[in-house]
mmCIF file of all heavy atoms in Angstrom:
data_model
loop_
_atom_site.group_PDB
_atom_site.id
_atom_site.type_symbol
_atom_site.label_atom_id
_atom_site.label_comp_id
_atom_site.label_asym_id
_atom_site.label_seq_id
_atom_site.Cartn_x
_atom_site.Cartn_y
_atom_site.Cartn_z
ATOM 1 N N ASN E 1 -138.527 129.414 -40.513
ATOM 2 C CA ASN E 1 -139.805 128.691 -40.364
ATOM 3 C C ASN E 1 -139.847 127.822 -39.174
ATOM 4 O O ASN E 1 -140.711 126.960 -39.009
ATOM 5 C CB ASN E 1 -140.044 127.820 -41.612
ATOM 6 C CG ASN E 1 -140.228 128.648 -42.877
ATOM 7 O OD1 ASN E 1 -140.678 129.779 -42.789
ATOM 8 N ND2 ASN E 1 -139.871 128.085 -44.042
ATOM 9 N N THR E 2 -138.872 128.040 -38.235
ATOM 10 C CA THR E 2 -138.845 127.239 -36.986
ATOM 11 C C THR E 2 -138.998 128.177 -35.777
ATOM 12 O O THR E 2 -138.910 129.379 -35.887
ATOM 13 C CB THR E 2 -137.545 126.471 -36.866
ATOM 14 O OG1 THR E 2 -136.469 127.384 -36.551
ATOM 15 C CG2 THR E 2 -137.217 125.702 -38.178
ATOM 16 N N ALA E 3 -139.146 127.555 -34.591
ATOM 17 C CA ALA E 3 -139.179 128.333 -33.348
ATOM 18 C C ALA E 3 -137.874 129.083 -33.061
ATOM 19 O O ALA E 3 -137.871 130.003 -32.261
ATOM 20 C CB ALA E 3 -139.512 127.455 -32.175
ATOM 21 N N PHE E 4 -136.820 128.727 -33.788
ATOM 22 C CA PHE E 4 -135.512 129.368 -33.584
ATOM 23 C C PHE E 4 -135.413 130.683 -34.293
ATOM 24 O O PHE E 4 -134.423 131.375 -34.188
ATOM 25 C CB PHE E 4 -134.399 128.475 -34.001
ATOM 26 C CG PHE E 4 -134.012 127.435 -32.972
ATOM 27 C CD1 PHE E 4 -134.820 126.288 -32.702
ATOM 28 C CD2 PHE E 4 -132.889 127.569 -32.155
ATOM 29 C CE1 PHE E 4 -134.496 125.360 -31.753
ATOM 30 C CE2 PHE E 4 -132.553 126.616 -31.170
ATOM 31 C CZ PHE E 4 -133.391 125.551 -30.983
ATOM 32 N N ASP E 5 -136.458 131.108 -35.012
ATOM 33 C CA ASP E 5 -136.440 132.376 -35.665
ATOM 34 C C ASP E 5 -136.423 133.516 -34.640
ATOM 35 O O ASP E 5 -136.089 134.637 -34.954
ATOM 36 C CB ASP E 5 -137.614 132.539 -36.642
ATOM 37 C CG ASP E 5 -138.956 132.616 -35.929
ATOM 38 O OD1 ASP E 5 -139.025 132.139 -34.783
ATOM 39 O OD2 ASP E 5 -139.913 133.109 -36.521
ATOM 40 N N ALA E 6 -136.810 133.190 -33.425
ATOM 41 C CA ALA E 6 -136.796 134.192 -32.324
ATOM 42 C C ALA E 6 -135.405 134.417 -31.738
ATOM 43 O O ALA E 6 -135.229 135.258 -30.858
ATOM 44 C CB ALA E 6 -137.780 133.765 -31.218
ATOM 45 N N TYR E 7 -134.446 133.623 -32.176
ATOM 46 C CA TYR E 7 -133.062 133.701 -31.663
ATOM 47 C C TYR E 7 -132.080 134.014 -32.747
ATOM 48 O O TYR E 7 -131.489 133.083 -33.373
ATOM 49 C CB TYR E 7 -132.710 132.360 -30.952
ATOM 50 C CG TYR E 7 -133.633 132.047 -29.830
ATOM 51 C CD1 TYR E 7 -134.745 131.170 -30.035
ATOM 52 C CD2 TYR E 7 -133.427 132.544 -28.566
ATOM 53 C CE1 TYR E 7 -135.573 130.884 -29.021
ATOM 54 C CE2 TYR E 7 -134.287 132.197 -27.480
ATOM 55 C CZ TYR E 7 -135.355 131.368 -27.712
ATOM 56 O OH TYR E 7 -136.217 131.090 -26.699
ATOM 57 N N PRO E 8 -131.858 135.287 -33.081
ATOM 58 C CA PRO E 8 -130.869 135.639 -34.126
ATOM 59 C C PRO E 8 -129.513 135.123 -33.747
ATOM 60 O O PRO E 8 -129.060 135.148 -32.608
ATOM 61 C CB PRO E 8 -130.886 137.142 -34.091
ATOM 62 C CG PRO E 8 -132.180 137.538 -33.484
ATOM 63 C CD PRO E 8 -132.485 136.463 -32.461
ATOM 64 N N LEU E 9 -128.778 134.578 -34.718
ATOM 65 C CA LEU E 9 -127.435 134.020 -34.493
ATOM 66 C C LEU E 9 -126.430 135.072 -34.096
ATOM 67 O O LEU E 9 -126.444 136.178 -34.669
ATOM 68 C CB LEU E 9 -126.938 133.295 -35.749
ATOM 69 C CG LEU E 9 -127.761 132.056 -36.211
ATOM 70 C CD1 LEU E 9 -127.264 131.597 -37.586
ATOM 71 C CD2 LEU E 9 -127.550 130.925 -35.186
ATOM 72 N N CYS E 10 -125.617 134.740 -33.089
ATOM 73 C CA CYS E 10 -124.482 135.612 -32.771
ATOM 74 C C CYS E 10 -123.459 135.532 -33.899
ATOM 75 O O CYS E 10 -123.575 134.717 -34.791
ATOM 76 C CB CYS E 10 -123.878 135.212 -31.437
ATOM 77 S SG CYS E 10 -123.061 133.557 -31.460
ATOM 78 N N ASP E 11 -122.435 136.382 -33.866
ATOM 79 C CA ASP E 11 -121.462 136.438 -34.930
ATOM 80 C C ASP E 11 -120.738 135.099 -35.166
ATOM 81 O O ASP E 11 -120.537 134.647 -36.296
ATOM 82 C CB ASP E 11 -120.403 137.526 -34.673
ATOM 83 C CG ASP E 11 -120.980 138.946 -34.758
ATOM 84 O OD1 ASP E 11 -122.063 139.090 -35.340
ATOM 85 O OD2 ASP E 11 -120.316 139.868 -34.261
ATOM 86 N N GLN E 12 -120.373 134.413 -34.031
ATOM 87 C CA GLN E 12 -119.658 133.121 -34.170
ATOM 88 C C GLN E 12 -120.543 132.032 -34.710
ATOM 89 O O GLN E 12 -120.110 131.286 -35.572
ATOM 90 C CB GLN E 12 -119.124 132.718 -32.767
ATOM 91 C CG GLN E 12 -117.935 133.514 -32.326
ATOM 92 C CD GLN E 12 -117.386 133.041 -30.987
ATOM 93 O OE1 GLN E 12 -117.923 133.351 -29.958
ATOM 94 N NE2 GLN E 12 -116.308 132.295 -31.008
ATOM 95 N N CYS E 13 -121.773 131.963 -34.293
ATOM 96 C CA CYS E 13 -122.730 130.986 -34.828
ATOM 97 C C CYS E 13 -123.014 131.243 -36.310
ATOM 98 O O CYS E 13 -123.158 130.345 -37.107
ATOM 99 C CB CYS E 13 -123.996 130.917 -33.983
ATOM 100 S SG CYS E 13 -123.825 130.082 -32.400
ATOM 101 N N TYR E 14 -123.112 132.537 -36.622
ATOM 102 C CA TYR E 14 -123.415 132.894 -38.027
ATOM 103 C C TYR E 14 -122.264 132.450 -38.952
ATOM 104 O O TYR E 14 -122.485 131.993 -40.047
ATOM 105 C CB TYR E 14 -123.640 134.426 -38.115
ATOM 106 C CG TYR E 14 -124.044 134.890 -39.523
ATOM 107 C CD1 TYR E 14 -125.222 134.410 -40.107
ATOM 108 C CD2 TYR E 14 -123.195 135.735 -40.248
ATOM 109 C CE1 TYR E 14 -125.535 134.848 -41.370
ATOM 110 C CE2 TYR E 14 -123.549 136.151 -41.517
ATOM 111 C CZ TYR E 14 -124.729 135.705 -42.085
ATOM 112 O OH TYR E 14 -125.064 136.097 -43.322
ATOM 113 N N GLU E 15 -121.018 132.638 -38.465
ATOM 114 C CA GLU E 15 -119.891 132.245 -39.282
ATOM 115 C C GLU E 15 -119.898 130.711 -39.512
ATOM 116 O O GLU E 15 -119.616 130.206 -40.553
ATOM 117 C CB GLU E 15 -118.560 132.668 -38.611
ATOM 118 C CG GLU E 15 -118.246 134.128 -38.743
ATOM 119 C CD GLU E 15 -118.186 134.591 -40.208
ATOM 120 O OE1 GLU E 15 -117.547 133.923 -41.006
ATOM 121 O OE2 GLU E 15 -118.834 135.596 -40.548
ATOM 122 N N GLU E 16 -120.257 129.946 -38.448
ATOM 123 C CA GLU E 16 -120.339 128.503 -38.553
ATOM 124 C C GLU E 16 -121.464 128.116 -39.516
ATOM 125 O O GLU E 16 -121.332 127.227 -40.342
ATOM 126 C CB GLU E 16 -120.689 127.850 -37.187
ATOM 127 C CG GLU E 16 -119.515 127.966 -36.198
ATOM 128 C CD GLU E 16 -119.916 127.471 -34.811
ATOM 129 O OE1 GLU E 16 -121.135 127.469 -34.492
ATOM 130 O OE2 GLU E 16 -119.007 127.117 -34.046
ATOM 131 N N TYR E 17 -122.585 128.813 -39.426
ATOM 132 C CA TYR E 17 -123.741 128.565 -40.341
ATOM 133 C C TYR E 17 -123.371 128.774 -41.816
ATOM 134 O O TYR E 17 -123.907 128.048 -42.693
ATOM 135 C CB TYR E 17 -124.846 129.470 -39.921
ATOM 136 C CG TYR E 17 -126.170 129.225 -40.630
ATOM 137 C CD1 TYR E 17 -127.057 128.283 -40.197
ATOM 138 C CD2 TYR E 17 -126.489 129.969 -41.804
ATOM 139 C CE1 TYR E 17 -128.304 128.074 -40.876
ATOM 140 C CE2 TYR E 17 -127.719 129.776 -42.477
ATOM 141 C CZ TYR E 17 -128.556 128.818 -41.981
ATOM 142 O OH TYR E 17 -129.755 128.577 -42.679
ATOM 143 N N ARG E 18 -122.496 129.705 -42.081
ATOM 144 C CA ARG E 18 -122.128 130.053 -43.479
ATOM 145 C C ARG E 18 -120.951 129.269 -44.003
ATOM 146 O O ARG E 18 -120.727 129.150 -45.215
ATOM 147 C CB ARG E 18 -121.814 131.561 -43.570
ATOM 148 C CG ARG E 18 -122.995 132.436 -43.314
ATOM 149 C CD ARG E 18 -122.577 133.886 -43.341
ATOM 150 N NE ARG E 18 -122.067 134.316 -44.635
ATOM 151 C CZ ARG E 18 -120.839 134.744 -44.823
ATOM 152 N NH1 ARG E 18 -119.965 134.804 -43.851
ATOM 153 N NH2 ARG E 18 -120.424 135.123 -46.001
ATOM 154 N N ASP E 19 -120.132 128.677 -43.066
ATOM 155 C CA ASP E 19 -118.908 128.010 -43.466
ATOM 156 C C ASP E 19 -119.207 126.593 -43.984
ATOM 157 O O ASP E 19 -119.604 125.698 -43.228
ATOM 158 C CB ASP E 19 -117.956 127.901 -42.228
ATOM 159 C CG ASP E 19 -116.633 127.277 -42.595
ATOM 160 O OD1 ASP E 19 -116.419 126.902 -43.784
ATOM 161 O OD2 ASP E 19 -115.806 127.131 -41.698
ATOM 162 N N MET E 20 -119.025 126.368 -45.336
ATOM 163 C CA MET E 20 -119.321 125.107 -45.916
ATOM 164 C C MET E 20 -118.502 123.957 -45.370
ATOM 165 O O MET E 20 -118.963 122.798 -45.450
ATOM 166 C CB MET E 20 -119.123 125.220 -47.415
ATOM 167 C CG MET E 20 -119.928 124.208 -48.256
ATOM 168 S SD MET E 20 -121.735 124.342 -47.995
ATOM 169 C CE MET E 20 -122.027 125.948 -48.732
ATOM 170 N N ASN E 21 -117.419 124.227 -44.787
ATOM 171 C CA ASN E 21 -116.570 123.156 -44.191
ATOM 172 C C ASN E 21 -116.873 122.886 -42.706
ATOM 173 O O ASN E 21 -116.229 122.023 -42.115
ATOM 174 C CB ASN E 21 -115.091 123.505 -44.346
ATOM 175 C CG ASN E 21 -114.650 123.557 -45.840
ATOM 176 O OD1 ASN E 21 -115.018 122.645 -46.560
ATOM 177 N ND2 ASN E 21 -113.937 124.604 -46.200
ATOM 178 N N ASN E 22 -117.834 123.601 -42.165
ATOM 179 C CA ASN E 22 -118.154 123.412 -40.774
ATOM 180 C C ASN E 22 -119.356 122.480 -40.638
ATOM 181 O O ASN E 22 -120.295 122.579 -41.471
ATOM 182 C CB ASN E 22 -118.515 124.800 -40.132
ATOM 183 C CG ASN E 22 -118.593 124.723 -38.629
ATOM 184 O OD1 ASN E 22 -119.462 124.146 -38.057
ATOM 185 N ND2 ASN E 22 -117.635 125.398 -37.971
ATOM 186 N N ARG E 23 -119.330 121.623 -39.621
ATOM 187 C CA ARG E 23 -120.485 120.672 -39.540
ATOM 188 C C ARG E 23 -121.770 121.276 -39.119
ATOM 189 O O ARG E 23 -122.833 120.672 -39.090
ATOM 190 C CB ARG E 23 -120.125 119.516 -38.596
ATOM 191 C CG ARG E 23 -120.208 119.788 -37.116
ATOM 192 C CD ARG E 23 -120.036 118.501 -36.304
ATOM 193 N NE ARG E 23 -120.627 118.561 -35.013
ATOM 194 C CZ ARG E 23 -120.084 119.151 -33.938
ATOM 195 N NH1 ARG E 23 -118.871 119.705 -34.073
ATOM 196 N NH2 ARG E 23 -120.700 119.149 -32.819
ATOM 197 N N ARG E 24 -121.728 122.609 -38.819
ATOM 198 C CA ARG E 24 -122.939 123.328 -38.446
ATOM 199 C C ARG E 24 -123.427 124.223 -39.595
ATOM 200 O O ARG E 24 -124.388 124.995 -39.448
ATOM 201 C CB ARG E 24 -122.763 124.182 -37.208
ATOM 202 C CG ARG E 24 -122.627 123.380 -35.956
ATOM 203 C CD ARG E 24 -122.688 124.186 -34.680
ATOM 204 N NE ARG E 24 -122.911 123.323 -33.513
ATOM 205 C CZ ARG E 24 -121.899 122.809 -32.800
ATOM 206 N NH1 ARG E 24 -120.646 123.080 -33.151
ATOM 207 N NH2 ARG E 24 -122.177 122.006 -31.800
ATOM 208 N N CYS E 25 -122.812 124.062 -40.803
ATOM 209 C CA CYS E 25 -123.244 124.810 -41.938
ATOM 210 C C CYS E 25 -124.716 124.489 -42.271
ATOM 211 O O CYS E 25 -125.067 123.269 -42.410
ATOM 212 C CB CYS E 25 -122.366 124.529 -43.161
ATOM 213 S SG CYS E 25 -122.805 125.445 -44.636
ATOM 214 N N HIS E 26 -125.574 125.488 -42.351
ATOM 215 C CA HIS E 26 -127.019 125.312 -42.608
ATOM 216 C C HIS E 26 -127.690 124.480 -41.534
ATOM 217 O O HIS E 26 -128.662 123.860 -41.792
ATOM 218 C CB HIS E 26 -127.263 124.749 -43.998
ATOM 219 C CG HIS E 26 -127.047 125.731 -45.130
ATOM 220 N ND1 HIS E 26 -127.907 126.786 -45.362
ATOM 221 C CD2 HIS E 26 -126.027 125.865 -46.000
ATOM 222 C CE1 HIS E 26 -127.462 127.503 -46.385
ATOM 223 N NE2 HIS E 26 -126.285 126.961 -46.785
ATOM 224 N N GLY E 27 -127.132 124.491 -40.356
ATOM 225 C CA GLY E 27 -127.793 123.820 -39.214
ATOM 226 C C GLY E 27 -128.863 124.804 -38.638
ATOM 227 O O GLY E 27 -128.545 125.719 -37.975
ATOM 228 N N GLU E 28 -130.130 124.497 -38.992
ATOM 229 C CA GLU E 28 -131.149 125.525 -38.738
ATOM 230 C C GLU E 28 -131.415 125.769 -37.226
ATOM 231 O O GLU E 28 -131.963 126.776 -36.848
ATOM 232 C CB GLU E 28 -132.478 125.093 -39.425
ATOM 233 C CG GLU E 28 -132.339 124.759 -40.907
ATOM 234 C CD GLU E 28 -131.805 125.980 -41.721
ATOM 235 O OE1 GLU E 28 -131.793 127.099 -41.236
ATOM 236 O OE2 GLU E 28 -131.380 125.723 -42.889
ATOM 237 N N THR E 29 -131.028 124.818 -36.377
ATOM 238 C CA THR E 29 -131.298 124.960 -34.930
ATOM 239 C C THR E 29 -130.016 125.237 -34.133
ATOM 240 O O THR E 29 -130.053 125.128 -32.894
ATOM 241 C CB THR E 29 -131.961 123.708 -34.370
ATOM 242 O OG1 THR E 29 -131.095 122.562 -34.563
ATOM 243 C CG2 THR E 29 -133.289 123.421 -35.041
ATOM 244 N N ILE E 30 -128.905 125.571 -34.766
ATOM 245 C CA ILE E 30 -127.695 125.840 -33.955
ATOM 246 C C ILE E 30 -127.854 127.104 -33.127
ATOM 247 O O ILE E 30 -128.570 128.006 -33.467
ATOM 248 C CB ILE E 30 -126.463 125.977 -34.910
ATOM 249 C CG1 ILE E 30 -126.499 127.193 -35.793
ATOM 250 C CG2 ILE E 30 -126.268 124.706 -35.714
ATOM 251 C CD1 ILE E 30 -125.190 127.496 -36.475
ATOM 252 N N ALA E 31 -127.221 127.069 -31.979
ATOM 253 C CA ALA E 31 -127.262 128.181 -31.019
ATOM 254 C C ALA E 31 -126.164 127.955 -30.022
ATOM 255 O O ALA E 31 -125.437 127.004 -30.056
ATOM 256 C CB ALA E 31 -128.642 128.210 -30.301
ATOM 257 N N CYS E 32 -126.038 128.942 -29.106
ATOM 258 C CA CYS E 32 -125.010 128.808 -28.049
ATOM 259 C C CYS E 32 -125.496 129.627 -26.854
ATOM 260 O O CYS E 32 -126.640 130.163 -26.829
ATOM 261 C CB CYS E 32 -123.658 129.279 -28.537
ATOM 262 S SG CYS E 32 -123.584 131.113 -28.765
ATOM 263 N N HIS E 33 -124.663 129.705 -25.807
ATOM 264 C CA HIS E 33 -125.059 130.429 -24.610
ATOM 265 C C HIS E 33 -125.378 131.901 -24.892
ATOM 266 O O HIS E 33 -126.231 132.479 -24.238
ATOM 267 C CB HIS E 33 -123.878 130.432 -23.596
ATOM 268 C CG HIS E 33 -123.636 129.070 -23.033
ATOM 269 N ND1 HIS E 33 -124.451 128.428 -22.174
ATOM 270 C CD2 HIS E 33 -122.493 128.248 -23.202
ATOM 271 C CE1 HIS E 33 -123.944 127.267 -21.813
ATOM 272 N NE2 HIS E 33 -122.774 127.113 -22.404
ATOM 273 N N ASP E 34 -124.766 132.458 -25.915
ATOM 274 C CA ASP E 34 -124.910 133.896 -26.249
ATOM 275 C C ASP E 34 -126.139 134.237 -27.034
ATOM 276 O O ASP E 34 -126.660 135.334 -26.924
ATOM 277 C CB ASP E 34 -123.658 134.415 -26.979
ATOM 278 C CG ASP E 34 -122.421 134.379 -26.118
ATOM 279 O OD1 ASP E 34 -122.553 134.503 -24.881
ATOM 280 O OD2 ASP E 34 -121.309 134.170 -26.668
ATOM 281 N N CYS E 35 -126.621 133.275 -27.868
ATOM 282 C CA CYS E 35 -127.712 133.619 -28.798
ATOM 283 C C CYS E 35 -128.889 132.675 -28.774
ATOM 284 O O CYS E 35 -129.898 132.922 -29.463
ATOM 285 C CB CYS E 35 -127.149 133.727 -30.212
ATOM 286 S SG CYS E 35 -126.565 132.206 -30.890
ATOM 287 N N GLY E 36 -128.835 131.602 -28.029
ATOM 288 C CA GLY E 36 -129.921 130.614 -28.065
ATOM 289 C C GLY E 36 -130.830 130.574 -26.839
ATOM 290 O O GLY E 36 -130.677 131.447 -25.943
ATOM 291 N N PRO E 37 -131.756 129.618 -26.784
ATOM 292 C CA PRO E 37 -132.572 129.460 -25.587
ATOM 293 C C PRO E 37 -131.723 129.188 -24.352
ATOM 294 O O PRO E 37 -130.617 128.660 -24.489
ATOM 295 C CB PRO E 37 -133.408 128.224 -25.911
ATOM 296 C CG PRO E 37 -133.324 128.078 -27.413
ATOM 297 C CD PRO E 37 -132.006 128.595 -27.777
ATOM 298 N N ARG E 38 -132.200 129.596 -23.173
ATOM 299 C CA ARG E 38 -131.461 129.405 -21.962
ATOM 300 C C ARG E 38 -132.198 128.560 -20.973
ATOM 301 O O ARG E 38 -133.425 128.462 -20.979
ATOM 302 C CB ARG E 38 -131.157 130.784 -21.347
ATOM 303 C CG ARG E 38 -130.318 131.656 -22.221
ATOM 304 C CD ARG E 38 -129.899 132.948 -21.593
ATOM 305 N NE ARG E 38 -129.113 133.764 -22.539
ATOM 306 C CZ ARG E 38 -128.628 134.939 -22.206
ATOM 307 N NH1 ARG E 38 -128.869 135.452 -21.007
ATOM 308 N NH2 ARG E 38 -127.874 135.643 -23.069
ATOM 309 N N LEU E 39 -131.444 127.928 -20.087
ATOM 310 C CA LEU E 39 -132.015 127.006 -19.060
ATOM 311 C C LEU E 39 -132.468 127.843 -17.861
ATOM 312 O O LEU E 39 -131.702 128.637 -17.306
ATOM 313 C CB LEU E 39 -130.920 126.040 -18.638
ATOM 314 C CG LEU E 39 -131.366 124.838 -17.769
ATOM 315 C CD1 LEU E 39 -132.383 123.975 -18.488
ATOM 316 C CD2 LEU E 39 -130.138 124.029 -17.363
ATOM 317 N N LEU E 40 -133.755 127.678 -17.491
ATOM 318 C CA LEU E 40 -134.311 128.356 -16.347
ATOM 319 C C LEU E 40 -135.010 127.339 -15.428
ATOM 320 O O LEU E 40 -135.356 126.250 -15.871
ATOM 321 C CB LEU E 40 -135.334 129.452 -16.745
ATOM 322 C CG LEU E 40 -134.787 130.590 -17.625
ATOM 323 C CD1 LEU E 40 -135.929 131.475 -18.103
ATOM 324 C CD2 LEU E 40 -133.804 131.455 -16.829
ATOM 325 N N ALA E 41 -135.236 127.693 -14.195
ATOM 326 C CA ALA E 41 -135.946 126.785 -13.267
ATOM 327 C C ALA E 41 -137.045 127.575 -12.537
ATOM 328 O O ALA E 41 -136.902 128.778 -12.268
ATOM 329 C CB ALA E 41 -134.987 126.190 -12.282
ATOM 330 N N LYS E 42 -138.081 126.833 -12.154
ATOM 331 C CA LYS E 42 -139.170 127.455 -11.369
ATOM 332 C C LYS E 42 -139.602 126.456 -10.312
ATOM 333 O O LYS E 42 -139.949 125.321 -10.614
ATOM 334 C CB LYS E 42 -140.352 127.818 -12.277
ATOM 335 C CG LYS E 42 -141.506 128.567 -11.526
ATOM 336 C CD LYS E 42 -142.564 128.971 -12.520
ATOM 337 C CE LYS E 42 -143.704 129.640 -11.772
ATOM 338 N NZ LYS E 42 -144.781 130.067 -12.681
ATOM 339 N N MET E 43 -139.460 126.825 -9.045
ATOM 340 C CA MET E 43 -139.896 125.949 -7.945
ATOM 341 C C MET E 43 -141.398 126.097 -7.748
ATOM 342 O O MET E 43 -141.978 127.165 -7.949
ATOM 343 C CB MET E 43 -139.150 126.366 -6.672
ATOM 344 C CG MET E 43 -137.602 126.166 -6.758
ATOM 345 S SD MET E 43 -137.083 124.467 -6.968
ATOM 346 C CE MET E 43 -137.444 123.847 -5.304
ATOM 347 N N ARG E 44 -142.002 125.023 -7.278
ATOM 348 C CA ARG E 44 -143.417 125.000 -7.061
ATOM 349 C C ARG E 44 -143.765 126.108 -6.030
ATOM 350 O O ARG E 44 -143.202 126.223 -4.973
ATOM 351 C CB ARG E 44 -143.860 123.592 -6.490
ATOM 352 C CG ARG E 44 -145.356 123.435 -6.312
ATOM 353 C CD ARG E 44 -145.717 122.062 -6.007
ATOM 354 N NE ARG E 44 -144.928 121.508 -4.878
ATOM 355 C CZ ARG E 44 -144.964 120.246 -4.532
ATOM 356 N NH1 ARG E 44 -145.635 119.373 -5.209
ATOM 357 N NH2 ARG E 44 -144.267 119.839 -3.461
ATOM 358 N N GLY E 45 -144.767 126.893 -6.361
ATOM 359 C CA GLY E 45 -145.204 128.007 -5.481
ATOM 360 C C GLY E 45 -144.469 129.315 -5.771
ATOM 361 O O GLY E 45 -144.855 130.333 -5.249
#
């Protein structure tokens, strides 16, 4: 139900999401370089 639904979790993030002892368990916005939003730049013109 968030904008992160467009970014399926990679295997490592998915394991963190499912691991009850991990501080990212059920973290709905967790991501990383491999599966999340990326930093881009656009110069004027």
Side-chain angles (χ1 to χ4, degrees):
N1 295 333
T2 74
F4 279 76
D5 67 338
Y7 301 95
L9 293 171
C10 66
D11 290 344
Q12 285 182 283
C13 284
Y14 184 63
E15 285 303 313
E16 291 174 338
Y17 185 86
R18 295 175 62 244
D19 182 1
M20 203 60 66
N21 294 314
N22 193 292
R23 79 172 203 280
R24 288 191 168 91
C25 182
H26 286 287
E28 308 302 345
T29 60
I30 66 168
C32 70
H33 293 292
D34 294 330
C35 65
R38 298 184 181 182
L39 190 62
L40 297 172
K42 184 176 180 181
M43 296 296 288
R44 184 169 55 188

